[in-house]
PDB file of all heavy atoms in Angstrom:
ATOM      1  N   LEU A 218      -6.128 -21.828  -7.460  1.00  0.00           N
ATOM      2  CA  LEU A 218      -6.160 -22.130  -6.018  1.00  0.00           C
ATOM      3  C   LEU A 218      -7.563 -22.642  -5.617  1.00  0.00           C
ATOM      4  O   LEU A 218      -7.670 -23.526  -4.787  1.00  0.00           O
ATOM      5  CB  LEU A 218      -5.808 -20.872  -5.234  1.00  0.00           C
ATOM      6  CG  LEU A 218      -4.321 -20.505  -5.270  1.00  0.00           C
ATOM      7  CD1 LEU A 218      -4.092 -19.074  -4.701  1.00  0.00           C
ATOM      8  CD2 LEU A 218      -3.479 -21.527  -4.483  1.00  0.00           C
ATOM      9  N   ARG A 219      -8.599 -22.078  -6.195  1.00  0.00           N
ATOM     10  CA  ARG A 219      -9.945 -22.498  -5.826  1.00  0.00           C
ATOM     11  C   ARG A 219     -10.208 -23.925  -6.289  1.00  0.00           C
ATOM     12  O   ARG A 219     -10.683 -24.776  -5.530  1.00  0.00           O
ATOM     13  CB  ARG A 219     -10.964 -21.531  -6.455  1.00  0.00           C
ATOM     14  CG  ARG A 219     -12.354 -21.594  -5.823  1.00  0.00           C
ATOM     15  CD  ARG A 219     -13.244 -20.484  -6.278  1.00  0.00           C
ATOM     16  NE  ARG A 219     -13.151 -20.292  -7.705  1.00  0.00           N
ATOM     17  CZ  ARG A 219     -12.634 -19.236  -8.342  1.00  0.00           C
ATOM     18  NH1 ARG A 219     -12.136 -18.226  -7.636  1.00  0.00           N
ATOM     19  NH2 ARG A 219     -12.602 -19.152  -9.649  1.00  0.00           N
ATOM     20  N   GLU A 220      -9.829 -24.197  -7.523  1.00  0.00           N
ATOM     21  CA  GLU A 220     -10.139 -25.505  -8.078  1.00  0.00           C
ATOM     22  C   GLU A 220      -9.271 -26.626  -7.480  1.00  0.00           C
ATOM     23  O   GLU A 220      -9.697 -27.758  -7.400  1.00  0.00           O
ATOM     24  CB  GLU A 220      -9.963 -25.464  -9.616  1.00  0.00           C
ATOM     25  CG  GLU A 220     -11.067 -24.642 -10.257  1.00  0.00           C
ATOM     26  CD  GLU A 220     -10.916 -24.564 -11.778  1.00  0.00           C
ATOM     27  OE1 GLU A 220      -9.947 -25.143 -12.289  1.00  0.00           O
ATOM     28  OE2 GLU A 220     -11.761 -23.913 -12.405  1.00  0.00           O
ATOM     29  N   ALA A 221      -8.059 -26.264  -7.064  1.00  0.00           N
ATOM     30  CA  ALA A 221      -7.170 -27.326  -6.578  1.00  0.00           C
ATOM     31  C   ALA A 221      -7.544 -27.802  -5.171  1.00  0.00           C
ATOM     32  O   ALA A 221      -7.195 -28.913  -4.790  1.00  0.00           O
ATOM     33  CB  ALA A 221      -5.717 -26.815  -6.596  1.00  0.00           C
ATOM     34  N   GLU A 222      -8.234 -26.963  -4.396  1.00  0.00           N
ATOM     35  CA  GLU A 222      -8.584 -27.320  -3.023  1.00  0.00           C
ATOM     36  C   GLU A 222      -7.424 -27.976  -2.296  1.00  0.00           C
ATOM     37  O   GLU A 222      -7.484 -29.153  -1.892  1.00  0.00           O
ATOM     38  CB  GLU A 222      -9.816 -28.246  -3.000  1.00  0.00           C
ATOM     39  CG  GLU A 222     -11.076 -27.571  -3.429  1.00  0.00           C
ATOM     40  CD  GLU A 222     -12.261 -28.507  -3.420  1.00  0.00           C
ATOM     41  OE1 GLU A 222     -12.213 -29.513  -2.686  1.00  0.00           O
ATOM     42  OE2 GLU A 222     -13.249 -28.240  -4.138  1.00  0.00           O
ATOM     43  N   LEU A 223      -6.365 -27.225  -2.142  1.00  0.00           N
ATOM     44  CA  LEU A 223      -5.140 -27.792  -1.601  1.00  0.00           C
ATOM     45  C   LEU A 223      -5.323 -28.174  -0.130  1.00  0.00           C
ATOM     46  O   LEU A 223      -6.058 -27.542   0.589  1.00  0.00           O
ATOM     47  CB  LEU A 223      -4.011 -26.742  -1.755  1.00  0.00           C
ATOM     48  CG  LEU A 223      -3.678 -26.388  -3.197  1.00  0.00           C
ATOM     49  CD1 LEU A 223      -2.740 -25.194  -3.268  1.00  0.00           C
ATOM     50  CD2 LEU A 223      -3.082 -27.579  -3.916  1.00  0.00           C
ATOM     51  N   PRO A 224      -4.619 -29.220   0.295  1.00  0.00           N
ATOM     52  CA  PRO A 224      -4.811 -29.714   1.647  1.00  0.00           C
ATOM     53  C   PRO A 224      -4.263 -28.830   2.725  1.00  0.00           C
ATOM     54  O   PRO A 224      -4.715 -28.862   3.872  1.00  0.00           O
ATOM     55  CB  PRO A 224      -4.068 -31.073   1.641  1.00  0.00           C
ATOM     56  CG  PRO A 224      -3.064 -30.939   0.532  1.00  0.00           C
ATOM     57  CD  PRO A 224      -3.697 -30.088  -0.494  1.00  0.00           C
ATOM     58  N   PHE A 225      -3.272 -27.969   2.403  1.00  0.00           N
ATOM     59  CA  PHE A 225      -2.581 -27.227   3.455  1.00  0.00           C
ATOM     60  C   PHE A 225      -2.890 -25.732   3.450  1.00  0.00           C
ATOM     61  O   PHE A 225      -2.260 -24.946   4.150  1.00  0.00           O
ATOM     62  CB  PHE A 225      -1.067 -27.399   3.339  1.00  0.00           C
ATOM     63  CG  PHE A 225      -0.609 -28.775   3.737  1.00  0.00           C
ATOM     64  CD1 PHE A 225       0.464 -29.379   3.108  1.00  0.00           C
ATOM     65  CD2 PHE A 225      -1.256 -29.461   4.758  1.00  0.00           C
ATOM     66  CE1 PHE A 225       0.888 -30.635   3.477  1.00  0.00           C
ATOM     67  CE2 PHE A 225      -0.836 -30.726   5.138  1.00  0.00           C
ATOM     68  CZ  PHE A 225       0.224 -31.314   4.505  1.00  0.00           C
ATOM     69  N   LEU A 226      -3.851 -25.354   2.622  1.00  0.00           N
ATOM     70  CA  LEU A 226      -4.250 -23.937   2.671  1.00  0.00           C
ATOM     71  C   LEU A 226      -5.716 -23.829   2.281  1.00  0.00           C
ATOM     72  O   LEU A 226      -6.239 -24.657   1.527  1.00  0.00           O
ATOM     73  CB  LEU A 226      -3.349 -23.085   1.804  1.00  0.00           C
ATOM     74  CG  LEU A 226      -3.323 -23.263   0.278  1.00  0.00           C
ATOM     75  CD1 LEU A 226      -4.464 -22.477  -0.405  1.00  0.00           C
ATOM     76  CD2 LEU A 226      -1.989 -22.787  -0.282  1.00  0.00           C
ATOM     77  N   ASP A 227      -6.361 -22.809   2.812  1.00  0.00           N
ATOM     78  CA  ASP A 227      -7.785 -22.599   2.575  1.00  0.00           C
ATOM     79  C   ASP A 227      -7.921 -21.286   1.790  1.00  0.00           C
ATOM     80  O   ASP A 227      -7.863 -20.216   2.372  1.00  0.00           O
ATOM     81  CB  ASP A 227      -8.498 -22.537   3.933  1.00  0.00           C
ATOM     82  CG  ASP A 227     -10.010 -22.504   3.783  1.00  0.00           C
ATOM     83  OD1 ASP A 227     -10.486 -22.658   2.630  1.00  0.00           O
ATOM     84  OD2 ASP A 227     -10.680 -22.313   4.788  1.00  0.00           O
ATOM     85  N   TYR A 228      -8.123 -21.429   0.488  1.00  0.00           N
ATOM     86  CA  TYR A 228      -8.167 -20.227  -0.338  1.00  0.00           C
ATOM     87  C   TYR A 228      -9.516 -19.490  -0.189  1.00  0.00           C
ATOM     88  O   TYR A 228     -10.554 -20.051  -0.387  1.00  0.00           O
ATOM     89  CB  TYR A 228      -7.945 -20.585  -1.816  1.00  0.00           C
ATOM     90  CG  TYR A 228      -8.103 -19.403  -2.735  1.00  0.00           C
ATOM     91  CD1 TYR A 228      -7.217 -18.305  -2.607  1.00  0.00           C
ATOM     92  CD2 TYR A 228      -9.093 -19.335  -3.679  1.00  0.00           C
ATOM     93  CE1 TYR A 228      -7.364 -17.186  -3.436  1.00  0.00           C
ATOM     94  CE2 TYR A 228      -9.247 -18.231  -4.514  1.00  0.00           C
ATOM     95  CZ  TYR A 228      -8.373 -17.152  -4.353  1.00  0.00           C
ATOM     96  OH  TYR A 228      -8.537 -16.058  -5.173  1.00  0.00           O
ATOM     97  N   LYS A 229      -9.411 -18.207   0.178  1.00  0.00           N
ATOM     98  CA  LYS A 229     -10.602 -17.443   0.509  1.00  0.00           C
ATOM     99  C   LYS A 229     -11.003 -16.430  -0.555  1.00  0.00           C
ATOM    100  O   LYS A 229     -11.925 -15.639  -0.331  1.00  0.00           O
ATOM    101  CB  LYS A 229     -10.383 -16.696   1.855  1.00  0.00           C
ATOM    102  CG  LYS A 229     -10.249 -17.611   3.058  1.00  0.00           C
ATOM    103  CD  LYS A 229     -11.570 -18.305   3.362  1.00  0.00           C
ATOM    104  CE  LYS A 229     -11.549 -18.987   4.725  1.00  0.00           C
ATOM    105  NZ  LYS A 229     -12.725 -19.818   4.930  1.00  0.00           N
ATOM    106  N   GLY A 230     -10.246 -16.369  -1.648  1.00  0.00           N
ATOM    107  CA  GLY A 230     -10.597 -15.395  -2.685  1.00  0.00           C
ATOM    108  C   GLY A 230      -9.771 -14.133  -2.646  1.00  0.00           C
ATOM    109  O   GLY A 230      -8.708 -14.093  -2.025  1.00  0.00           O
ATOM    110  N   PHE A 231     -10.286 -13.090  -3.310  1.00  0.00           N
ATOM    111  CA  PHE A 231      -9.526 -11.818  -3.366  1.00  0.00           C
ATOM    112  C   PHE A 231      -9.690 -11.051  -2.056  1.00  0.00           C
ATOM    113  O   PHE A 231     -10.689 -11.125  -1.382  1.00  0.00           O
ATOM    114  CB  PHE A 231     -10.054 -10.972  -4.507  1.00  0.00           C
ATOM    115  CG  PHE A 231      -9.835 -11.593  -5.858  1.00  0.00           C
ATOM    116  CD1 PHE A 231     -10.801 -11.474  -6.845  1.00  0.00           C
ATOM    117  CD2 PHE A 231      -8.680 -12.301  -6.151  1.00  0.00           C
ATOM    118  CE1 PHE A 231     -10.613 -12.039  -8.098  1.00  0.00           C
ATOM    119  CE2 PHE A 231      -8.491 -12.880  -7.406  1.00  0.00           C
ATOM    120  CZ  PHE A 231      -9.475 -12.762  -8.366  1.00  0.00           C
ATOM    121  N   ILE A 232      -8.678 -10.248  -1.764  1.00  0.00           N
ATOM    122  CA  ILE A 232      -8.748  -9.378  -0.593  1.00  0.00           C
ATOM    123  C   ILE A 232      -8.274  -8.003  -1.064  1.00  0.00           C
ATOM    124  O   ILE A 232      -7.324  -7.878  -1.845  1.00  0.00           O
ATOM    125  CB  ILE A 232      -7.891  -9.926   0.565  1.00  0.00           C
ATOM    126  CG1 ILE A 232      -7.804  -8.938   1.720  1.00  0.00           C
ATOM    127  CG2 ILE A 232      -6.483 -10.325   0.135  1.00  0.00           C
ATOM    128  CD1 ILE A 232      -7.138  -9.534   2.990  1.00  0.00           C
ATOM    129  N   GLU A 233      -8.946  -6.942  -0.599  1.00  0.00           N
ATOM    130  CA  GLU A 233      -8.555  -5.573  -0.965  1.00  0.00           C
ATOM    131  C   GLU A 233      -7.624  -5.032   0.114  1.00  0.00           C
ATOM    132  O   GLU A 233      -7.574  -5.492   1.244  1.00  0.00           O
ATOM    133  CB  GLU A 233      -9.781  -4.687  -1.129  1.00  0.00           C
ATOM    134  CG  GLU A 233     -10.534  -5.023  -2.405  1.00  0.00           C
ATOM    135  CD  GLU A 233     -11.528  -3.928  -2.798  1.00  0.00           C
ATOM    136  OE1 GLU A 233     -11.092  -2.800  -3.058  1.00  0.00           O
ATOM    137  OE2 GLU A 233     -12.738  -4.212  -2.819  1.00  0.00           O
ATOM    138  N   GLY A 234      -6.892  -3.972  -0.268  1.00  0.00           N
ATOM    139  CA  GLY A 234      -5.870  -3.384   0.607  1.00  0.00           C
ATOM    140  C   GLY A 234      -6.374  -3.014   1.981  1.00  0.00           C
ATOM    141  O   GLY A 234      -5.654  -3.141   2.969  1.00  0.00           O
ATOM    142  N   ASN A 235      -7.610  -2.530   2.057  1.00  0.00           N
ATOM    143  CA  ASN A 235      -8.111  -2.044   3.353  1.00  0.00           C
ATOM    144  C   ASN A 235      -8.507  -3.163   4.322  1.00  0.00           C
ATOM    145  O   ASN A 235      -8.757  -2.902   5.479  1.00  0.00           O
ATOM    146  CB  ASN A 235      -9.261  -1.059   3.178  1.00  0.00           C
ATOM    147  CG  ASN A 235     -10.298  -1.568   2.181  1.00  0.00           C
ATOM    148  OD1 ASN A 235     -10.112  -2.638   1.554  1.00  0.00           O
ATOM    149  ND2 ASN A 235     -11.402  -0.864   2.045  1.00  0.00           N
ATOM    150  N   SER A 236      -8.547  -4.407   3.828  1.00  0.00           N
ATOM    151  CA  SER A 236      -8.953  -5.505   4.706  1.00  0.00           C
ATOM    152  C   SER A 236      -7.766  -6.225   5.323  1.00  0.00           C
ATOM    153  O   SER A 236      -7.957  -7.036   6.228  1.00  0.00           O
ATOM    154  CB  SER A 236      -9.777  -6.511   3.921  1.00  0.00           C
ATOM    155  OG  SER A 236     -10.863  -5.888   3.284  1.00  0.00           O
ATOM    156  N   ILE A 237      -6.561  -5.976   4.819  1.00  0.00           N
ATOM    157  CA  ILE A 237      -5.420  -6.762   5.335  1.00  0.00           C
ATOM    158  C   ILE A 237      -5.300  -6.598   6.841  1.00  0.00           C
ATOM    159  O   ILE A 237      -5.146  -7.582   7.564  1.00  0.00           O
ATOM    160  CB  ILE A 237      -4.091  -6.290   4.679  1.00  0.00           C
ATOM    161  CG1 ILE A 237      -4.227  -6.296   3.145  1.00  0.00           C
ATOM    162  CG2 ILE A 237      -2.949  -7.206   5.105  1.00  0.00           C
ATOM    163  CD1 ILE A 237      -2.993  -5.683   2.464  1.00  0.00           C
ATOM    164  N   GLY A 238      -5.420  -5.348   7.326  1.00  0.00           N
ATOM    165  CA  GLY A 238      -5.216  -5.049   8.740  1.00  0.00           C
ATOM    166  C   GLY A 238      -6.276  -5.627   9.660  1.00  0.00           C
ATOM    167  O   GLY A 238      -6.157  -5.571  10.860  1.00  0.00           O
ATOM    168  N   GLN A 239      -7.347  -6.197   9.101  1.00  0.00           N
ATOM    169  CA  GLN A 239      -8.336  -6.856   9.948  1.00  0.00           C
ATOM    170  C   GLN A 239      -7.867  -8.217  10.425  1.00  0.00           C
ATOM    171  O   GLN A 239      -8.408  -8.771  11.373  1.00  0.00           O
ATOM    172  CB  GLN A 239      -9.672  -6.973   9.204  1.00  0.00           C
ATOM    173  CG  GLN A 239     -10.429  -5.643   9.187  1.00  0.00           C
ATOM    174  CD  GLN A 239     -11.499  -5.580   8.113  1.00  0.00           C
ATOM    175  OE1 GLN A 239     -11.891  -6.598   7.582  1.00  0.00           O
ATOM    176  NE2 GLN A 239     -11.960  -4.375   7.807  1.00  0.00           N
ATOM    177  N   GLY A 240      -6.873  -8.752   9.746  1.00  0.00           N
ATOM    178  CA  GLY A 240      -6.220  -9.971  10.226  1.00  0.00           C
ATOM    179  C   GLY A 240      -7.037 -11.234  10.048  1.00  0.00           C
ATOM    180  O   GLY A 240      -6.676 -12.265  10.633  1.00  0.00           O
ATOM    181  N   GLU A 241      -8.099 -11.186   9.241  1.00  0.00           N
ATOM    182  CA  GLU A 241      -8.871 -12.416   9.062  1.00  0.00           C
ATOM    183  C   GLU A 241      -8.236 -13.347   8.047  1.00  0.00           C
ATOM    184  O   GLU A 241      -8.554 -14.542   7.995  1.00  0.00           O
ATOM    185  CB  GLU A 241     -10.302 -12.072   8.627  1.00  0.00           C
ATOM    186  CG  GLU A 241     -11.167 -11.709   9.839  1.00  0.00           C
ATOM    187  CD  GLU A 241     -12.311 -10.815   9.494  1.00  0.00           C
ATOM    188  OE1 GLU A 241     -12.752 -10.856   8.316  1.00  0.00           O
ATOM    189  OE2 GLU A 241     -12.730 -10.038  10.372  1.00  0.00           O
ATOM    190  N   ILE A 242      -7.350 -12.820   7.228  1.00  0.00           N
ATOM    191  CA  ILE A 242      -6.639 -13.629   6.252  1.00  0.00           C
ATOM    192  C   ILE A 242      -5.207 -13.825   6.756  1.00  0.00           C
ATOM    193  O   ILE A 242      -4.515 -12.868   7.018  1.00  0.00           O
ATOM    194  CB  ILE A 242      -6.656 -12.960   4.870  1.00  0.00           C
ATOM    195  CG1 ILE A 242      -8.111 -12.826   4.362  1.00  0.00           C
ATOM    196  CG2 ILE A 242      -5.807 -13.708   3.856  1.00  0.00           C
ATOM    197  CD1 ILE A 242      -8.804 -14.120   4.101  1.00  0.00           C
ATOM    198  N   ASP A 243      -4.824 -15.082   6.915  1.00  0.00           N
ATOM    199  CA  ASP A 243      -3.496 -15.370   7.476  1.00  0.00           C
ATOM    200  C   ASP A 243      -2.369 -15.110   6.511  1.00  0.00           C
ATOM    201  O   ASP A 243      -1.270 -14.733   6.919  1.00  0.00           O
ATOM    202  CB  ASP A 243      -3.424 -16.871   7.893  1.00  0.00           C
ATOM    203  CG  ASP A 243      -4.538 -17.250   8.861  1.00  0.00           C
ATOM    204  OD1 ASP A 243      -4.706 -16.563   9.858  1.00  0.00           O
ATOM    205  OD2 ASP A 243      -5.239 -18.244   8.579  1.00  0.00           O
ATOM    206  N   VAL A 244      -2.645 -15.330   5.222  1.00  0.00           N
ATOM    207  CA  VAL A 244      -1.587 -15.227   4.200  1.00  0.00           C
ATOM    208  C   VAL A 244      -2.088 -14.382   3.054  1.00  0.00           C
ATOM    209  O   VAL A 244      -3.078 -14.746   2.375  1.00  0.00           O
ATOM    210  CB  VAL A 244      -1.177 -16.615   3.654  1.00  0.00           C
ATOM    211  CG1 VAL A 244      -0.039 -16.467   2.628  1.00  0.00           C
ATOM    212  CG2 VAL A 244      -0.744 -17.528   4.810  1.00  0.00           C
TER     213      VAL A 244
END
Side-chain angles (χ1 to χ4, degrees):
Chain A
L218 286 168
R219 198 170 46 247
E220 290 178 359
E222 292 179 23
L223 298 171
F225 289 146
L226 65 85
D227 187 7
Y228 175 63
K229 294 292 192 189
F231 298 141
I232 174 172
E233 288 196 62
N235 47 355
S236 306
I237 308 173
Q239 283 162 15
E241 278 154 27
I242 297 296
D243 305 309
V244 181

